[in-house]
PDB file of all heavy atoms in Angstrom:
ATOM      1  N   LEU D  25      37.232  -4.728  -8.576  1.00  0.00           N
ATOM      2  CA  LEU D  25      38.618  -4.697  -9.064  1.00  0.00           C
ATOM      3  C   LEU D  25      39.543  -4.133  -7.983  1.00  0.00           C
ATOM      4  O   LEU D  25      40.627  -4.679  -7.723  1.00  0.00           O
ATOM      5  CB  LEU D  25      38.712  -3.812 -10.307  1.00  0.00           C
ATOM      6  CG  LEU D  25      38.773  -4.534 -11.642  1.00  0.00           C
ATOM      7  CD1 LEU D  25      38.825  -3.523 -12.774  1.00  0.00           C
ATOM      8  CD2 LEU D  25      40.002  -5.457 -11.687  1.00  0.00           C
ATOM      9  N   ILE D  26      39.108  -3.045  -7.355  1.00  0.00           N
ATOM     10  CA  ILE D  26      39.907  -2.442  -6.274  1.00  0.00           C
ATOM     11  C   ILE D  26      40.126  -3.465  -5.165  1.00  0.00           C
ATOM     12  O   ILE D  26      41.245  -3.664  -4.682  1.00  0.00           O
ATOM     13  CB  ILE D  26      39.211  -1.183  -5.720  1.00  0.00           C
ATOM     14  CG1 ILE D  26      39.163  -0.096  -6.806  1.00  0.00           C
ATOM     15  CG2 ILE D  26      39.930  -0.658  -4.468  1.00  0.00           C
ATOM     16  CD1 ILE D  26      38.329   1.113  -6.420  1.00  0.00           C
ATOM     17  N   SER D  27      39.040  -4.148  -4.787  1.00  0.00           N
ATOM     18  CA  SER D  27      39.175  -5.117  -3.690  1.00  0.00           C
ATOM     19  C   SER D  27      40.095  -6.264  -4.094  1.00  0.00           C
ATOM     20  O   SER D  27      40.912  -6.735  -3.280  1.00  0.00           O
ATOM     21  CB  SER D  27      37.808  -5.631  -3.248  1.00  0.00           C
ATOM     22  OG  SER D  27      37.293  -6.547  -4.187  1.00  0.00           O
ATOM     23  N   ALA D  28      39.991  -6.710  -5.356  1.00  0.00           N
ATOM     24  CA  ALA D  28      40.866  -7.791  -5.810  1.00  0.00           C
ATOM     25  C   ALA D  28      42.329  -7.335  -5.756  1.00  0.00           C
ATOM     26  O   ALA D  28      43.227  -8.101  -5.386  1.00  0.00           O
ATOM     27  CB  ALA D  28      40.501  -8.215  -7.225  1.00  0.00           C
ATOM     28  N   HIS D  29      42.537  -6.077  -6.094  1.00  0.00           N
ATOM     29  CA  HIS D  29      43.897  -5.524  -6.033  1.00  0.00           C
ATOM     30  C   HIS D  29      44.389  -5.500  -4.586  1.00  0.00           C
ATOM     31  O   HIS D  29      45.515  -5.943  -4.286  1.00  0.00           O
ATOM     32  CB  HIS D  29      43.904  -4.115  -6.632  1.00  0.00           C
ATOM     33  CG  HIS D  29      45.231  -3.433  -6.535  1.00  0.00           C
ATOM     34  ND1 HIS D  29      46.307  -3.804  -7.320  1.00  0.00           N
ATOM     35  CD2 HIS D  29      45.657  -2.429  -5.730  1.00  0.00           C
ATOM     36  CE1 HIS D  29      47.337  -3.065  -7.009  1.00  0.00           C
ATOM     37  NE2 HIS D  29      46.972  -2.209  -6.042  1.00  0.00           N
ATOM     38  N   ILE D  30      43.573  -5.023  -3.689  1.00  0.00           N
ATOM     39  CA  ILE D  30      43.957  -4.938  -2.270  1.00  0.00           C
ATOM     40  C   ILE D  30      44.279  -6.316  -1.704  1.00  0.00           C
ATOM     41  O   ILE D  30      45.287  -6.517  -1.034  1.00  0.00           O
ATOM     42  CB  ILE D  30      42.822  -4.283  -1.439  1.00  0.00           C
ATOM     43  CG1 ILE D  30      42.675  -2.805  -1.833  1.00  0.00           C
ATOM     44  CG2 ILE D  30      43.094  -4.413   0.067  1.00  0.00           C
ATOM     45  CD1 ILE D  30      41.461  -2.122  -1.218  1.00  0.00           C
ATOM     46  N   TYR D  31      43.392  -7.300  -2.007  1.00  0.00           N
ATOM     47  CA  TYR D  31      43.600  -8.643  -1.454  1.00  0.00           C
ATOM     48  C   TYR D  31      44.591  -9.464  -2.272  1.00  0.00           C
ATOM     49  O   TYR D  31      44.818 -10.639  -1.969  1.00  0.00           O
ATOM     50  CB  TYR D  31      42.261  -9.391  -1.356  1.00  0.00           C
ATOM     51  CG  TYR D  31      41.282  -8.719  -0.421  1.00  0.00           C
ATOM     52  CD1 TYR D  31      40.018  -8.355  -0.847  1.00  0.00           C
ATOM     53  CD2 TYR D  31      41.631  -8.449   0.918  1.00  0.00           C
ATOM     54  CE1 TYR D  31      39.129  -7.736   0.004  1.00  0.00           C
ATOM     55  CE2 TYR D  31      40.743  -7.832   1.775  1.00  0.00           C
ATOM     56  CZ  TYR D  31      39.498  -7.478   1.315  1.00  0.00           C
ATOM     57  OH  TYR D  31      38.627  -6.867   2.160  1.00  0.00           O
ATOM     58  N   GLY D  32      45.152  -8.847  -3.338  1.00  0.00           N
ATOM     59  CA  GLY D  32      46.106  -9.575  -4.169  1.00  0.00           C
ATOM     60  C   GLY D  32      45.492 -10.741  -4.903  1.00  0.00           C
ATOM     61  O   GLY D  32      46.134 -11.771  -5.111  1.00  0.00           O
ATOM     62  N   LEU D  35      42.761 -10.269 -10.922  1.00  0.00           N
ATOM     63  CA  LEU D  35      42.052  -9.102 -11.436  1.00  0.00           C
ATOM     64  C   LEU D  35      41.171  -9.445 -12.632  1.00  0.00           C
ATOM     65  O   LEU D  35      40.132  -8.833 -12.857  1.00  0.00           O
ATOM     66  CB  LEU D  35      43.048  -8.011 -11.846  1.00  0.00           C
ATOM     67  CG  LEU D  35      43.925  -7.424 -10.735  1.00  0.00           C
ATOM     68  CD1 LEU D  35      44.817  -6.317 -11.302  1.00  0.00           C
ATOM     69  CD2 LEU D  35      43.079  -6.849  -9.594  1.00  0.00           C
TER      70      LEU D  35
END
Side-chain angles (χ1 to χ4, degrees):
Chain D
L25 258 178
I26 294 172
S27 75
H29 176 73
I30 292 172
Y31 298 125
L35 297 182

